[in-house]
């Protein structure tokens, strides 16, 4: 199958397939006489694996490690679990950081009167100015 068919079958865009080949995540494909890439079921299966790993937030480096582990039938499951557990810790850290961002933005949004005046504690915070004191909203 050609790259478009492999893309349809795997759910990975043709552009990403080319990129994965360029960076060595997947091996270079065979070519036809017209220099078109040729993909088989095995390559589509690998592309689906990569897509699933990327959808779970694994980096390209982690995905490459997992791909090598998947292809190594002598590997231990402990080595795979270790990659997953390190990734879980990273995801939890990033979630905590994002929750902190939400908390900060909620506070800044609450401090902003949202009226016709130019004062804006959100912009003041982004500019590094001291945050505005918390004001009660009208009707509250």
């Amino acid at each position: 199958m050609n790259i478009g068919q492999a893309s349809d079958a795997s759910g990975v865009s043709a552009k990403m397939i080319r990129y994965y080949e360029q960076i060595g995540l997947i091996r270079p494909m065979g070519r036809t006489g017209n220099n078109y890439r040729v993909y088989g079921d095995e390559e589509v299966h690998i592309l689906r694996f990569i897509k699933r790993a990327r959808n779970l937030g694994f980096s390209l480096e982690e995905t490459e490690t997992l791909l090598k582990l998947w292809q190594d039938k002598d590997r231990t499951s402990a080595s795979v679990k270790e990659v997953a557990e390190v990734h879980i810790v990273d995801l939890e850290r990033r979630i905590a950081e994002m929750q902190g961002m939400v908390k900060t933005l909620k506070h800044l949004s609450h401090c902003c009167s949202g009226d016709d005046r130019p004062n804006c504690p959100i912009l003041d915070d982004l500019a590094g100015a001291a945050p505005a004191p918390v004001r009660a909203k009208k009707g509250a």
Side-chain angles (χ1 to χ4, degrees):
M1 70 183 80
N2 65 30
I3 195 167
Q5 294 165 323
S7 174
D8 290 342
S10 67
V12 177
S13 72
K15 181 178 180 178
M16 288 307 295
I17 294 172
R18 287 186 200 95
Y19 176 68
Y20 292 154
E21 184 179 323
Q22 177 188 354
I23 65 170
L25 190 58
I26 59 175
R27 62 181 170 77
M29 297 300 114
R31 301 276 182 158
T32 66
N34 294 339
N35 206 28
Y36 291 115
R37 291 172 174 88
V38 179
Y39 299 85
D41 292 337
E42 181 181 347
E43 289 82 17
V44 169
H45 196 73
I46 291 169
L47 289 168
R48 286 181 183 145
F49 180 97
I50 292 168
K51 180 178 181 178
R52 179 69 176 140
R54 298 292 288 149
N55 284 344
L56 287 172
F58 286 102
S59 69
L60 284 172
E61 294 79 16
E62 291 167 325
T63 299
E64 181 177 26
T65 298
L66 290 168
L67 186 57
K68 287 176 182 175
L69 288 168
W70 179 53
Q71 293 168 334
D72 177 6
K73 301 306 176 197
D74 293 327
R75 52 98 172 94
T76 64
S77 64
S79 56
V80 180
K81 184 175 181 176
E82 181 182 350
V83 174
E85 288 179 339
V86 167
H87 185 60
I88 290 167
V89 169
D90 183 54
L91 287 173
E92 289 174 337
R93 177 191 54 77
R94 289 172 30 207
I95 288 168
E97 287 173 357
M98 292 171 98
Q99 288 172 332
M101 288 183 237
V102 168
K103 183 178 178 182
T104 298
L105 286 171
K106 280 184 176 181
H107 171 73
L108 292 171
S109 181
H110 175 76
C111 292
C112 182
S113 59
D115 56 20
D116 293 335
R117 298 181 324 191
N119 305 27
C120 182
I122 299 167
L123 295 177
D124 290 344
D125 182 81
L126 293 173
V134 176
R135 289 181 254 161
K137 290 190 176 196
K138 291 182 181 179

